[in-house]
Amino acid sequence: VLRTAEPYVFVADFRRSLAYYVDVLGFRAALTYGDPPFFGMVVRDAAAICMRQVKRPVMDHSVGGELLSAAIAVSNARLLFLELEARGATIHRPLKREPWHGQGQGNFIVADPDGNLLEFGGRTD
């Protein structure tokens, strides 16, 4: 039985990224490790994301497309989109309904300071 997944995002500046996930995306810091910190986990409700500081970019976005670092199911994508937009999140792609979504479903994508793309999807009504 699979229970949860904890995607990793790789970041250039751990403190800057942690502040973005907490102050803008509304996560809370569950743990940090290292002196100075280079690894940590942020959580919001039942979603957890691990972050690790690295010395060079890991994701090559020049290959095109929307290379997602994480996809997170939410109870109401529209309400979360409005909240994150108001908090100043970097919206990579606004809320929309894709052809494969069911009635009343949609998703949107935000980018973190290092270009990690996070998709949030769920009900829109």
Side-chain angles (χ1 to χ4, degrees):
V1 174
L2 302 180
R3 301 204 38 155
T4 60
E6 296 170 357
Y8 274 65
V9 295
F10 299 98
V11 301
D13 182 329
F14 182 82
R15 291 181 195 276
R16 176 192 67 186
S17 295
L18 182 63
Y20 182 80
Y21 278 78
V22 170
D23 299 338
V24 178
L25 299 184
F27 285 80
R28 72 173 173 78
L31 72 94
T32 60
Y33 179 79
D35 186 20
F38 64 88
F39 175 82
M41 177 186 289
V42 293
V43 297
R44 179 168 174 167
D45 304 318
I49 297 175
C50 297
M51 66 178 64
R52 165 108 171 144
Q53 184 170 305
V54 295
K55 295 187 187 317
R56 60 186 171 122
V58 177
M59 184 74 72
D60 180 5
H61 287 285
S62 68
V63 298
E66 292 175 333
L67 302 176
L68 298 175
S69 296
I72 301 169
V74 301
S75 58
N76 191 307
R78 182 180 60 80
L79 291 178
L80 183 61
F81 173 77
L82 294 172
E83 174 194 331
L84 297 185
E85 185 178 48
R87 292 176 82 145
T90 302
I91 305 298
H92 177 78
R93 185 173 48 77
L95 182 64
K96 68 185 244 183
R97 185 174 179 273
E98 300 285 1
W100 56 84
H101 285 142
Q103 182 70 24
Q105 300 285 316
N107 66 19
F108 65 97
I109 299 172
V110 301
D112 76 5
D114 293 285
N116 291 296
L117 301 179
L118 311 172
E119 178 186 70
F120 297 93
R123 302 274 327 152
T124 57
D125 51 8

